[in-house]
Amino acid sequence: YIVGNGSNLLVSDKGYEGVIIQIYKQMNQVKVEGAQIHAQAGALLSMIAKRALDAELTGFEFAAGIPGTLGGACVMNAGAYGGEMKDVLKSGSEMKNVLVDAVLLTKDGAVIRRTGEELELGYRTSVIAKKGYIVLEAVLELQKGEKEKIQAVMDDLKERRVTKQPLEYPSAGSTFKRPEGYFAGKLIQDAGLRGFQVGGAQVSEKHCGFVINKDQATASDVMNLMNQVSDKVYEEFGVRLQPEVKRLGEF
């Protein structure tokens, strides 16, 4: 199993029977060339955003607070606050602010390069995830901007995160995918589940879209809570919530 920073993983209480390869600090080089950023898969999004800021490049501010690596972000088309990876991956020869090229490793060991369009980036999905490719590196296409304005946007997004998300507790980030036409957190709140707890796991009182480890929660606590929340929301509104958190191991 390939892991980046592990920020959206829920690992079984039984552990994982297999080999885990972490693509992280040993593959985290970042290089700025004009308006493009070439980065290896293990580079943290926050580090890439900092390099973009230093180079006065705009378009990647949304990713500054996402606690993951570039590889994982490409796999799931990570996004926040109106921006997502497909907006900044370079699109072949057309400079139109689309996710750029990615260098991938196939299951057969072949190294291939795909353009942003070929990655089929959708809401929390991609051809990388569907075909089990491993991201090695990617090229981001940004635009020249003003350092002060870029910093202001990053500061604003950071403030919104701190005030609205339960960053003071461990979590695997946003727990459920956004159902079409709805917001998962709003559905959970409207179902009366704010603060709902199973064992040490709790629906955050600060933001109902997050399941937090309130008090020594086990992975089973988190999973049981997620299942009960999903059932209750379906019962109330006829909408089935799908997990955004990835599960690893036996549940």
Side-chain angles (χ1 to χ4, degrees):
Y1 193 83
I2 305 297
V3 172
N5 197 29
S7 52
N8 68 331
L9 274 185
L10 179 63
V11 182
S12 168
D13 298 317
K14 298 178 182 178
Y16 180 68
E17 290 192 13
V19 175
I20 294 177
I21 298 175
Q22 185 177 35
I23 298 179
Y24 189 26
K25 293 181 179 179
Q26 300 302 314
M27 279 183 65
N28 69 351
Q29 292 182 4
V30 179
K31 182 171 59 175
V32 179
E33 293 184 357
Q36 292 184 1
I37 294 183
H38 298 247
Q40 291 183 312
L44 288 172
L45 299 181
S46 56
M47 183 172 76
I48 297 172
K50 176 67 167 59
R51 292 292 299 275
L53 171 67
D54 292 342
E56 298 189 5
L57 296 175
T58 184
F60 205 64
E61 293 89 332
F62 75 90
I66 300 176
T69 60
L70 178 63
C74 291
V75 171
M76 64 178 294
N77 186 27
Y81 296 107
E84 53 188 356
M85 292 303 297
K86 74 180 182 65
D87 298 327
V88 292
L89 284 172
K90 176 174 159 288
S91 173
S93 60
E94 297 179 48
M95 305 301 189
K96 59 180 185 182
N97 229 31
V98 176
L99 180 62
V100 188
D101 307 310
V103 179
L104 312 167
L105 183 68
T106 71
K107 289 182 176 180
D108 298 325
V111 176
I112 61 175
R113 183 181 286 271
R114 293 290 182 265
T115 65
E117 285 87 346
E118 292 170 333
L119 294 177
E120 298 175 18
L121 297 163
Y123 179 63
R124 302 298 176 262
T125 187
S126 67
V127 74
I128 306 168
K130 294 170 186 171
K131 296 197 174 182
Y133 294 153
I134 298 170
V135 181
L136 300 180
E137 56 187 87
V139 185
L140 309 179
E141 185 75 44
L142 304 179
Q143 297 173 338
K144 290 298 291 183
E146 297 178 32
K147 192 168 187 177
E148 294 76 14
K149 290 183 178 179
I150 297 168
Q151 183 69 68
V153 171
M154 288 171 64
D155 290 344
D156 175 58
L157 295 183
K158 181 180 179 181
E159 176 67 17
R160 288 160 67 178
R161 272 196 171 86
V162 170
T163 55
K164 294 182 179 180
Q165 297 181 9
L167 303 181
E168 62 272 27
Y169 290 100
S171 79
S174 183
T175 306
F176 296 100
K177 294 179 182 178
R178 185 180 67 240
E180 192 170 344
Y182 299 91
F183 290 100
K186 181 74 163 55
L187 289 171
I188 295 168
Q189 177 179 313
D190 292 348
L193 294 170
R194 180 187 295 276
F196 175 63
Q197 194 159 336
V198 173
Q202 183 189 57
V203 173
S204 169
E205 297 181 70
K206 194 172 184 180
H207 189 315
C208 291
F210 287 72
V211 171
I212 61 172
N213 185 340
K214 183 74 180 291
D215 182 24
Q216 303 296 313
T218 63
S220 295
D221 289 342
V222 176
M223 202 65 244
N224 289 339
L225 184 145
M226 287 174 61
N227 289 336
Q228 290 187 48
V229 166
S230 180
D231 289 344
K232 177 68 172 176
V233 167
Y234 185 74
E235 183 183 302
E236 291 281 330
F237 306 109
V239 178
R240 177 61 73 182
L241 295 178
Q242 300 297 329
E244 184 167 316
V245 172
K246 295 185 184 301
R247 287 160 290 183
L248 181 61
E250 184 183 332
F251 282 92

